[in-house]
Amino acid sequence: MTDETSRNVGPIILLGPPGAGKGTQSKRIVQHYQIPQISTGDLLREEVQRGTEVGKQVGSQLAAGRLAPDDLVNRMVAERIRRADCARGYILDGFPRTPAQAGWLDEYLKQPFFDNLRQGKHLPIVIRMDVDYNQLLHRLTGRRTCPACGRIYNVYLQPPRVAGICDVDGSKLEIRSDDREEVIQDRLAAYERQTRPVAEYYQGQGRLQIVNADQPVDKVTEDLIREIEAHSPAAAGGS
Ligand code: AP5
Protein backbone atom coordinates (compact mmCIF):
# COMPACT_ATOMS: atom_id res chain seq x y z
CA MET A 1 0.00 0.00 0.00
CA THR A 2 1.57 3.34 -0.99
CA ASP A 3 0.48 6.95 -0.77
CA GLU A 4 1.77 10.18 -2.33
CA THR A 5 4.47 10.61 0.31
CA SER A 6 6.00 7.14 0.09
CA ARG A 7 5.78 5.97 -3.50
CA ASN A 8 8.20 6.39 -6.38
CA VAL A 9 7.33 9.59 -8.28
CA GLY A 10 10.46 9.84 -10.44
CA PRO A 11 12.18 12.98 -11.69
CA ILE A 12 9.97 15.91 -12.71
CA ILE A 13 11.20 18.77 -14.90
CA LEU A 14 9.34 22.09 -14.77
CA LEU A 15 10.11 24.18 -17.83
CA GLY A 16 8.82 27.67 -18.44
CA PRO A 17 9.86 31.29 -18.78
CA PRO A 18 10.97 33.47 -15.87
CA GLY A 19 7.85 34.19 -13.81
CA ALA A 20 5.86 31.19 -15.05
CA GLY A 21 5.48 30.02 -11.45
CA LYS A 22 8.04 27.18 -11.41
CA GLY A 23 9.25 28.07 -7.90
CA THR A 24 5.73 28.63 -6.55
CA GLN A 25 4.47 25.32 -7.92
CA SER A 26 7.61 23.35 -7.00
CA LYS A 27 7.02 24.18 -3.35
CA ARG A 28 3.46 22.86 -3.60
CA ILE A 29 4.58 19.66 -5.32
CA VAL A 30 7.20 19.21 -2.57
CA GLN A 31 4.39 19.36 -0.01
CA HIS A 32 2.24 16.91 -1.95
CA TYR A 33 4.83 14.19 -2.62
CA GLN A 34 7.57 14.98 -0.04
CA ILE A 35 10.28 14.97 -2.69
CA PRO A 36 12.92 17.74 -2.92
CA GLN A 37 12.89 20.81 -5.15
CA ILE A 38 16.18 21.40 -6.93
CA SER A 39 16.27 24.95 -8.22
CA THR A 40 19.47 25.71 -10.09
CA GLY A 41 18.69 29.43 -9.69
CA ASP A 42 18.52 29.02 -5.89
CA LEU A 43 21.72 26.93 -5.86
CA LEU A 44 23.57 29.56 -7.92
CA ARG A 45 22.25 32.45 -5.80
CA GLU A 46 23.44 30.64 -2.66
CA GLU A 47 26.94 30.36 -4.16
CA VAL A 48 26.91 34.08 -4.95
CA GLN A 49 25.71 34.94 -1.45
CA ARG A 50 28.37 32.76 0.19
CA GLY A 51 31.08 34.32 -2.01
CA THR A 52 32.42 30.93 -3.19
CA GLU A 53 34.62 30.48 -6.28
CA VAL A 54 31.54 29.38 -8.23
CA GLY A 55 29.64 32.40 -6.92
CA LYS A 56 32.41 34.76 -8.09
CA GLN A 57 32.37 33.10 -11.50
CA VAL A 58 28.60 33.40 -12.05
CA GLY A 59 27.65 36.51 -10.06
CA SER A 60 27.83 38.96 -12.93
CA GLN A 61 26.06 36.55 -15.31
CA LEU A 62 23.09 36.16 -12.95
CA ALA A 63 22.90 39.91 -12.35
CA ALA A 64 22.78 40.49 -16.11
CA GLY A 65 20.14 37.81 -16.75
CA ARG A 66 22.54 35.58 -18.71
CA LEU A 67 22.83 31.84 -18.19
CA ALA A 68 25.65 30.27 -16.19
CA PRO A 69 27.96 27.87 -18.10
CA ASP A 70 26.47 24.42 -18.86
CA ASP A 71 29.39 22.44 -17.35
CA LEU A 72 29.19 24.26 -14.08
CA VAL A 73 25.43 23.83 -13.71
CA ASN A 74 25.56 20.18 -14.83
CA ARG A 75 28.17 19.45 -12.13
CA MET A 76 25.95 21.02 -9.47
CA VAL A 77 22.94 18.97 -10.59
CA ALA A 78 25.02 15.77 -10.88
CA GLU A 79 26.08 16.09 -7.27
CA ARG A 80 22.62 17.02 -6.00
CA ILE A 81 20.49 14.33 -7.63
CA ARG A 82 22.71 11.53 -6.33
CA ARG A 83 21.81 12.33 -2.74
CA ALA A 84 19.60 9.90 -0.86
CA ASP A 85 16.68 12.32 -0.52
CA CYS A 86 16.18 12.08 -4.30
CA ALA A 87 15.54 8.33 -4.16
CA ARG A 88 11.77 8.57 -4.80
CA GLY A 89 12.09 11.49 -7.18
CA TYR A 90 12.78 15.22 -7.29
CA ILE A 91 11.65 18.38 -9.04
CA LEU A 92 14.09 20.13 -11.34
CA ASP A 93 13.11 23.82 -11.31
CA GLY A 94 15.01 25.81 -13.94
CA PHE A 95 17.04 22.88 -15.28
CA PRO A 96 17.71 21.88 -18.05
CA ARG A 97 17.83 25.30 -19.66
CA THR A 98 19.76 24.56 -22.83
CA PRO A 99 19.57 21.58 -25.22
CA ALA A 100 23.13 20.70 -24.12
CA GLN A 101 21.97 20.45 -20.49
CA ALA A 102 18.99 18.29 -21.56
CA GLY A 103 21.23 15.94 -23.53
CA TRP A 104 23.66 15.72 -20.63
CA LEU A 105 20.83 14.86 -18.19
CA ASP A 106 19.48 12.06 -20.38
CA GLU A 107 22.97 10.52 -20.53
CA TYR A 108 23.64 11.01 -16.83
CA LEU A 109 20.40 9.28 -15.81
CA LYS A 110 21.44 6.18 -17.75
CA GLN A 111 24.12 5.48 -15.15
CA PRO A 112 23.53 2.29 -13.14
CA PHE A 113 23.67 4.34 -9.94
CA PHE A 114 20.15 5.54 -10.55
CA ASP A 115 18.80 1.98 -10.66
CA ASN A 116 20.14 1.65 -7.13
CA LEU A 117 17.94 4.56 -6.16
CA ARG A 118 14.82 2.80 -7.44
CA GLN A 119 14.29 5.34 -10.18
CA GLY A 120 15.10 2.65 -12.68
CA LYS A 121 15.17 3.84 -16.22
CA HIS A 122 12.11 5.96 -15.85
CA LEU A 123 12.66 9.16 -17.79
CA PRO A 124 11.81 12.53 -16.22
CA ILE A 125 8.26 13.81 -16.58
CA VAL A 126 8.67 17.08 -18.52
CA ILE A 127 6.05 19.79 -18.10
CA ARG A 128 6.19 23.24 -19.67
CA MET A 129 4.23 25.96 -17.89
CA ASP A 130 2.88 28.49 -20.40
CA VAL A 131 1.99 32.07 -19.46
CA ASP A 132 1.16 35.16 -21.52
CA TYR A 133 4.19 37.46 -21.97
CA ASN A 134 2.56 40.57 -20.44
CA GLN A 135 1.49 38.59 -17.41
CA LEU A 136 5.12 37.52 -16.89
CA LEU A 137 6.29 41.13 -16.59
CA HIS A 138 3.63 41.79 -13.97
CA ARG A 139 4.59 38.68 -12.03
CA LEU A 140 8.31 39.44 -12.02
CA THR A 141 8.17 43.13 -11.16
CA GLY A 142 5.75 42.36 -8.29
CA ARG A 143 7.63 39.38 -6.86
CA ARG A 144 8.85 39.45 -3.26
CA THR A 145 10.63 36.54 -1.56
CA CYS A 146 11.19 35.57 2.06
CA PRO A 147 14.93 35.15 2.66
CA ALA A 148 14.28 32.79 5.59
CA CYS A 149 11.66 30.28 4.35
CA GLY A 150 11.77 30.94 0.59
CA ARG A 151 8.02 31.62 0.31
CA ILE A 152 7.18 33.62 -2.81
CA TYR A 153 4.70 36.53 -2.85
CA ASN A 154 3.52 39.10 -5.35
CA VAL A 155 2.53 42.62 -4.38
CA TYR A 156 -0.15 42.71 -7.10
CA LEU A 157 -1.30 39.11 -7.29
CA GLN A 158 -0.44 37.35 -4.00
CA PRO A 159 0.36 39.96 -1.38
CA PRO A 160 1.40 39.05 2.16
CA ARG A 161 -1.07 39.86 4.95
CA VAL A 162 1.20 42.72 6.13
CA ALA A 163 3.01 44.62 3.36
CA GLY A 164 6.69 43.63 3.12
CA ILE A 165 6.52 40.94 5.84
CA CYS A 166 6.45 37.13 5.46
CA ASP A 167 3.17 35.56 6.68
CA VAL A 168 5.01 32.46 7.86
CA ASP A 169 7.96 33.76 9.89
CA GLY A 170 7.74 37.56 9.98
CA SER A 171 10.95 38.12 7.97
CA LYS A 172 11.34 41.23 5.85
CA LEU A 173 10.60 40.33 2.22
CA GLU A 174 13.25 40.92 -0.45
CA ILE A 175 13.28 41.83 -4.15
CA ARG A 176 15.53 39.63 -6.30
CA SER A 177 18.34 41.63 -7.88
CA ASP A 178 17.50 40.26 -11.35
CA ASP A 179 13.86 41.38 -11.09
CA ARG A 180 14.70 44.86 -12.43
CA GLU A 181 12.85 45.69 -15.63
CA GLU A 182 15.95 45.97 -17.85
CA VAL A 183 17.28 42.60 -16.62
CA ILE A 184 13.86 40.96 -16.96
CA GLN A 185 13.92 41.75 -20.70
CA ASP A 186 17.29 40.02 -21.03
CA ARG A 187 16.12 36.99 -19.04
CA LEU A 188 13.05 36.63 -21.24
CA ALA A 189 15.23 36.96 -24.34
CA ALA A 190 17.61 34.29 -22.99
CA TYR A 191 14.60 32.03 -22.43
CA GLU A 192 13.39 32.43 -26.02
CA ARG A 193 16.85 31.89 -27.48
CA GLN A 194 18.27 29.16 -25.25
CA THR A 195 15.47 27.45 -23.31
CA ARG A 196 12.54 27.28 -25.71
CA PRO A 197 14.58 24.80 -27.81
CA VAL A 198 14.74 22.52 -24.73
CA ALA A 199 10.96 22.10 -24.96
CA GLU A 200 11.40 21.29 -28.65
CA TYR A 201 14.05 18.70 -27.73
CA TYR A 202 11.54 16.88 -25.49
CA GLN A 203 8.66 17.42 -27.88
CA GLY A 204 10.71 15.74 -30.60
CA GLN A 205 10.90 12.70 -28.33
CA GLY A 206 7.16 12.82 -27.54
CA ARG A 207 7.91 13.62 -23.90
CA LEU A 208 6.58 17.16 -23.50
CA GLN A 209 3.45 17.91 -21.48
CA ILE A 210 2.04 21.45 -21.39
CA VAL A 211 0.07 23.11 -18.60
CA ASN A 212 -1.69 26.47 -18.80
CA ALA A 213 0.01 28.39 -15.96
CA ASP A 214 -2.07 31.51 -16.65
CA GLN A 215 -4.68 30.38 -14.10
CA PRO A 216 -5.10 30.74 -10.33
CA VAL A 217 -2.28 29.08 -8.37
CA ASP A 218 -4.49 26.25 -7.00
CA LYS A 219 -5.76 25.37 -10.47
CA VAL A 220 -2.21 25.25 -11.88
CA THR A 221 -1.20 22.91 -9.01
CA GLU A 222 -4.18 20.68 -9.76
CA ASP A 223 -3.27 20.47 -13.46
CA LEU A 224 0.39 19.77 -12.71
CA ILE A 225 -0.46 16.96 -10.29
CA ARG A 226 -2.80 15.46 -12.85
CA GLU A 227 0.05 15.38 -15.41
CA ILE A 228 2.46 13.91 -12.85
CA GLU A 229 -0.05 11.21 -11.90
CA ALA A 230 -0.64 10.36 -15.55
CA HIS A 231 3.08 9.95 -16.30
CA SER A 232 4.69 8.78 -13.05
CA PRO A 233 6.30 5.32 -12.71
CA ALA A 234 3.21 4.10 -10.82
CA ALA A 235 1.06 5.00 -13.83
CA ALA A 236 3.60 3.15 -16.00
CA GLY A 237 3.22 0.02 -13.84
CA GLY A 238 6.07 0.67 -11.35
CA SER A 239 5.84 1.00 -7.57
P1 AP5 B 1 15.86 31.03 -11.79
O1 AP5 B 1 15.95 31.29 -10.34
O2 AP5 B 1 15.59 29.65 -12.27
O3 AP5 B 1 14.80 32.06 -12.37
P2 AP5 B 1 13.82 32.02 -13.63
O4 AP5 B 1 13.81 30.81 -14.48
O5 AP5 B 1 14.07 33.30 -14.29
O6 AP5 B 1 12.45 31.85 -12.97
P3 AP5 B 1 11.92 32.69 -11.81
O7 AP5 B 1 12.44 32.16 -10.51
O8 AP5 B 1 12.11 34.15 -12.08
O9 AP5 B 1 10.36 32.43 -11.96
P4 AP5 B 1 9.46 31.21 -11.56
O10 AP5 B 1 8.97 30.53 -12.79
O11 AP5 B 1 10.10 30.35 -10.52
O12 AP5 B 1 8.24 32.01 -10.95
P5 AP5 B 1 7.78 32.22 -9.42
O13 AP5 B 1 7.17 30.97 -8.90
O14 AP5 B 1 8.86 32.88 -8.62
O15 AP5 B 1 17.21 31.51 -12.52
C1 AP5 B 1 17.83 32.73 -12.21
C2 AP5 B 1 19.14 32.84 -12.97
O16 AP5 B 1 20.04 31.77 -12.59
C3 AP5 B 1 19.04 32.72 -14.50
O17 AP5 B 1 18.72 33.94 -15.11
C4 AP5 B 1 20.45 32.24 -14.85
O18 AP5 B 1 21.37 33.31 -14.84
C5 AP5 B 1 20.79 31.30 -13.70
N1 AP5 B 1 20.40 29.89 -13.97
C6 AP5 B 1 19.43 29.19 -13.31
N2 AP5 B 1 19.35 27.94 -13.80
C7 AP5 B 1 20.29 27.85 -14.78
C8 AP5 B 1 20.67 26.80 -15.66
N3 AP5 B 1 20.06 25.60 -15.65
N4 AP5 B 1 21.68 27.04 -16.54
C9 AP5 B 1 22.30 28.23 -16.57
N5 AP5 B 1 21.98 29.27 -15.77
C10 AP5 B 1 20.98 29.08 -14.89
O19 AP5 B 1 6.58 33.26 -9.66
C11 AP5 B 1 6.84 34.56 -10.14
C12 AP5 B 1 5.81 35.56 -9.53
O20 AP5 B 1 4.51 35.24 -10.03
C13 AP5 B 1 5.72 35.49 -8.01
O21 AP5 B 1 5.55 36.78 -7.50
C14 AP5 B 1 4.46 34.64 -7.74
O22 AP5 B 1 3.84 35.00 -6.54
C15 AP5 B 1 3.61 34.95 -8.96
N6 AP5 B 1 2.79 33.83 -9.41
C16 AP5 B 1 3.19 32.54 -9.60
N7 AP5 B 1 2.17 31.79 -10.06
C17 AP5 B 1 1.11 32.63 -10.19
C18 AP5 B 1 -0.25 32.44 -10.65
N8 AP5 B 1 -0.71 31.26 -11.06
N9 AP5 B 1 -1.05 33.53 -10.64
C19 AP5 B 1 -0.62 34.74 -10.23
N10 AP5 B 1 0.65 34.98 -9.78
C20 AP5 B 1 1.50 33.93 -9.77
Side-chain angles (χ1 to χ4, degrees), residues 16-24 39-42 44-45 61-62 65-68 73 93-97 101 135 139-140 142-144 152-154 157-158 176 178 187 213 215-217 220:
K22 303 181 295 294
T24 301
S39 156
T40 42
D42 285 349
L44 290 164
R45 279 187 290 277
Q61 288 161 323
L62 260 70
R66 291 196 302 271
L67 297 190
V73 183
D93 159 9
F95 183 92
R97 229 173 170 101
Q101 291 179 11
Q135 179 67 15
R139 288 190 183 186
L140 291 169
R143 175 166 51 192
R144 303 290 182 272
I152 303 166
Y153 298 88
N154 192 290
L157 307 161
Q158 284 154 350
R176 244 168 67 174
D178 59 352
R187 287 166 58 204
Q215 308 183 84
V217 175
V220 178

Side-chain angles (χ1 to χ4, degrees), residues 115-198:
D115 283 332
N116 302 337
L117 288 183
R118 289 192 288 124
Q119 282 161 196
K121 293 189 172 58
H122 195 80
L123 294 167
I125 301 165
V126 185
I127 309 176
R128 189 181 73 197
M129 300 171 59
D130 284 356
V131 180
D132 175 72
Y133 184 86
N134 293 319
Q135 179 67 15
L136 292 175
L137 292 179
H138 208 50
R139 288 190 183 186
L140 291 169
T141 52
R143 175 166 51 192
R144 303 290 182 272
T145 311
C146 175
C149 72
R151 181 148 175 192
I152 303 166
Y153 298 88
N154 192 290
V155 294
Y156 312 117
L157 307 161
Q158 284 154 350
R161 282 194 293 271
V162 178
I165 302 292
C166 179
D167 292 350
V168 181
D169 54 34
S171 303
K172 196 165 176 292
L173 300 181
E174 292 181 348
I175 301 181
R176 244 168 67 174
S177 62
D178 59 352
D179 277 348
R180 286 173 292 126
E181 216 153 326
E182 63 278 18
V183 182
I184 289 172
Q185 300 293 350
D186 290 340
R187 287 166 58 204
L188 291 170
Y191 174 79
E192 286 302 323
R193 199 174 56 248
Q194 291 167 285
T195 309
R196 197 171 278 285
V198 174

